[in-house]
Amino acid sequence: MNIIPEDYIEKVYAGWLGKLIGIRHGAPIEGWTYEKIKRVHGTITDYLVDYNDFAADDDSNGPVFFLRALEDYDYTLKLTPEQIGLTWLNYAPYEHGFYWWGGYGKSTEHTAYLNMRNGIMAPKSGSIQQNGVTVAEQIGGQIFIDTWGLVAPANPKLAAAYARKAASVSHDGNGIFGGMFIAACISAAFIQENIKDILESGFSVIPADCDYTLVMRSVMSFHEKYPEDWEKCFNFIDANYGYDKYPGNCHIIPNGAVMILALLYGEKDFTNSINICNMCGWDTDCNVANIGTILGVANGIIGLDYNKWRKPINDFFICSSVIGSLNIQDAPQFTTYIAKWGYKIAGQEPENKWKKILFGGAARFHFQLPGSTHGFRVASDSLTKLEYALVNTNIANMNLNGSLKVSVNGIAAGEDFRIFTKTYYRPEDFHDSRYDPSFSPVLYPGQSISAMVMLPEWLEKSEILVSMYVKDGNYNKYFDSEKTLLTRGKWNLLNFKLPNMEGACLEEAGIRVTVKSNQRFLDNSLVIYIANLDFSGKPNYTIDFSKERMEFWNGLHQEVSQFTYLKGNWELVDDELVGSACDFGEAYTGSYDWEDYTFEATLIPVTGESHYMNFRVQGAIRSYAFGLESDGKAMLRKNNNGYSKLSGIDFAWEYNHEYRFRAEVKYNSIRIWHENILLVEYFDNDNPYLQGQIGFSVYNGSRCKFKELSIY
């Protein structure tokens, strides 16, 4: 039984924000030396790049998706390294995005991934016995470990126990000890006041005589002798434990040493510590992110300078897993996911104000966490320049305490602006293609959106109209609900059932605000409060491949819009999706949380003997597939780290002919139709997949065309 601290959720939020800040802060100079940073930037005090939007990063991909082992397998310490390794295989695309795919025997994560793909399961996949010391002791053992500390607050031993299992998937020796150390420090930071006490908690869970402990303690000893000069300490580290002393591309020990330096010389101040860590160089984004988590937890939200560090992030981050709808994230959303497992592991009930948010019933965007914005944005099509501010407030609504205050300046009668969240992203939204993100929308035609909106009482004689809206990016068209005239001083409930839209890709959802009265608002005097914005309902959705596009990120990163792919060659040819693979290829779209639905699509086999439509896709190794196989068969299969047959029938098929199939899934029931003829009816009573995306797959040298996709 672990006792959850009273301020647990707020500290998880601060810790995760600290992680994101550290990644963004260190990313522009990742791999630089101390000398180069000093020569080019001198003293670092702030973000080095003003990103449009910061793209995906391996340092956030790993902590987000490895934690899903708790959901997919077991949240207790019965969870095994093999199960965490299977989580890798499920959510990581095959050799693109997510990690640094630097080659077998060079990139530790790439090596472990290929080991597992070939049946060498965790923990052997990351062991010294299998991969050698150099590969096993690179930095990844600690950079992906933060969330294991966040789900075990005030319990360093428990955090270290989870971290040992997680790190062993890809690392061994000091590579595991570093992960255990960082997870324990994060856990201890929930209750420990002093940095040295936090570090001692880390040392308490790893061997006293391992190299990791000895080097980190030597840095602490140097700090005791020379507590005023961090650069002198760095020179000590560089001379005794620098990159030239340890083999491989990015060894854990030199980078661990500069983290200890920054924590000690930064004296628990978040800004000082992350700046010092960044100026040390080496694996900057990883190192700054780890100490960002520790200090975020230790100092809480109040310790993160909002305007300097939080505002540029705006709670927004993305990932590059194989599940596109899970790649669009915001910090409050992921915070509540972490905290849910923290409470479950502890066997403890959260406070009433958090129950709905953690365990269901609250809106997707609740604004409950201090200062949270959920990545919301403001824009206008009628104004060339719009001055606005977004501020989280505690104006009470619907028994919660959070809302988003939006104030605008210089808007007149007949003009409007939009308060919105992006529900799909394209390459032009980002600064670069870092770690190759790809997306499926998180909102679809046929669903509903809702929100609470309020005009403050003091805005006298104001006539403000509001409507819910979505933007279809394929046609660059807006769809709006009926306009509502706001009542001042009262929360107004807005609902919008989205109409059917053929071939749509919804990119935005939010609230349109229009000034009706003959007046002009100056000095940010038009104020609107929004709260509890939510998505709900089932999709009624088609994809018209003539409206989709190849999204060009760079020469090696091109994606079919709305789709992510696991492996294979996927392209648009003559208004059809075409997939081919020498061994296997899969591509997915839709939302991870879709449950009961009907999925229809047309398959046109071109070459080979394995052509499928997939449904209830929960990742690369968890889905169902139905399709055409050799010897005139049509087969229903289940993927559980490898496809097995569930049911099949004789079905004479020919190349270059069209076959329209309909898959109906309801709880554990699967029914497959062709031209209104029931081909297969199957009830999966063996751990059925009850939700997931849709997609297509080809195997064993096959090529297939797909068109006329619909889901309802």
Side-chain angles (χ1 to χ4, degrees), residues 18-19 22-27 29-31 57-60 109 139-140 142-146 182 243 250-251 255-256 258-259 277-278 281-293 434-435:
K19 177 78 170 179
I23 294 169
R24 177 173 172 147
H25 194 32
I29 53 175
E30 181 180 8
D57 195 277
D58 61 335
D59 293 81
S60 47
E109 289 71 38
I139 196 173
Q142 66 192 17
I143 70 175
F144 304 130
I145 218 71
D146 307 70
I182 294 298
Y243 267 30
C250 191
H251 201 278
N255 289 289
V258 297
M259 285 196 291
C277 195
N278 223 12
W282 293 334
D283 200 354
T284 47
D285 60 335
C286 301
N287 300 336
V288 182
N290 276 147
I291 70 165
T293 308
R434 189 177 182 86
Y435 284 95

Side-chain angles (χ1 to χ4, degrees), residues 78-152:
K78 293 178 182 178
L79 180 70
T80 66
E82 180 171 341
Q83 290 169 330
I84 301 174
L86 290 171
T87 307
W88 282 47
L89 296 185
N90 194 50
Y91 294 105
Y94 195 108
E95 297 186 313
H96 62 97
F98 209 93
Y99 310 115
W100 173 57
W101 302 93
Y104 192 87
K106 297 180 176 63
S107 161
T108 304
E109 289 71 38
H110 196 171
T111 302
Y113 180 88
L114 289 177
N115 282 341
M116 291 185 289
R117 271 283 176 188
N118 287 279
I120 304 169
M121 306 310 291
K124 189 176 181 181
S125 56
S127 66
I128 290 173
Q129 176 192 19
Q130 182 66 34
N131 303 322
V133 175
T134 296
V135 170
E137 293 194 338
Q138 298 302 300
I139 196 173
Q142 66 192 17
I143 70 175
F144 304 130
I145 218 71
D146 307 70
T147 42
W148 301 106
L150 294 175
V151 297

Side-chain angles (χ1 to χ4, degrees), residues 383-426:
L383 296 171
T384 57
K385 183 179 180 180
L386 181 68
E387 297 179 6
Y388 68 90
L390 297 175
V391 179
N392 182 281
T393 73
N394 60 357
I395 299 296
N397 67 88
M398 299 289 285
N399 299 318
L400 298 177
N401 296 321
S403 61
L404 188 66
K405 176 184 176 182
V406 183
S407 54
V408 300
N409 181 39
I411 187 167
E415 296 176 335
D416 62 36
F417 62 92
R418 310 186 313 278
I419 308 165
F420 64 95
T421 179
K422 284 189 68 66
T423 54
Y424 184 74
Y425 287 87
R426 300 189 187 272

